[in-house]
Amino acid sequence: MKCVIEGKNVKVFGRAVQALSRVGDELWLDPTVKGLALRSVSSAQSAYACFIFSPLFFQQYSLGGAPKQSSETVKCKLLLKSLLPLFRCLTSIERNVECCQISVSASSDWVVFQFFCRHGKKINYLC
């Protein structure tokens, strides 16, 4: 899966991640044909929250080489503690980030967040 988020939508995506951090400690990324679902469940499994971002939310959204009818989907579990610092400073992100690219590969065990900032700066983050 590969998706690109515009600078103004990075703030929206970051707020969704922050909201899910109040529900649980883990974030599930579930890319589907209908969009990217972000899910979180509390440790006692008494609370659940989900945000589904439509493919129209992204500048580019592709599931990769996997066929759409395939029963094998890529689902990723990330610790929110490691992800939250990326989206903490939302005001500075909104001013400096031009786009964010999120890549998930079925063959590797990495989720890659790449922030493309003004003046050619690039921030890579592996989860």
Side-chain angles (χ1 to χ4, degrees), residues 27-99:
L27 174 72
W28 288 88
L29 288 177
D30 185 13
T32 63
V33 176
K34 294 182 180 180
L36 179 64
L38 304 178
R39 305 171 200 268
S40 185
V41 179
S42 68
S43 59
Q45 295 186 351
S46 60
Y48 171 78
C50 176
F51 288 96
I52 299 175
F53 293 97
S54 166
L56 297 174
F57 176 79
F58 304 98
Q59 272 184 332
Q60 176 187 356
Y61 181 80
S62 64
L63 292 174
K68 293 182 180 181
Q69 301 298 328
S70 172
S71 61
E72 181 183 325
T73 59
V74 176
K75 292 184 181 181
C76 305
K77 179 172 71 168
L78 305 171
L79 290 176
L80 280 166
K81 279 187 179 182
S82 65
L83 197 59
L84 272 179
L86 290 175
F87 299 103
R88 283 266 158 134
C89 303
L90 294 176
T91 55
S92 64
I93 284 177
E94 183 181 16
R95 274 187 249 130
N96 295 322
V97 173
E98 293 178 349
C99 70

Side-chain angles (χ1 to χ4, degrees), residues 100-115:
C100 173
Q101 179 177 320
I102 304 170
S103 303
V104 179
S105 176
S107 60
S108 68
D109 293 336
W110 294 103
V111 177
V112 180
F113 289 86
Q114 290 183 319
F115 291 92

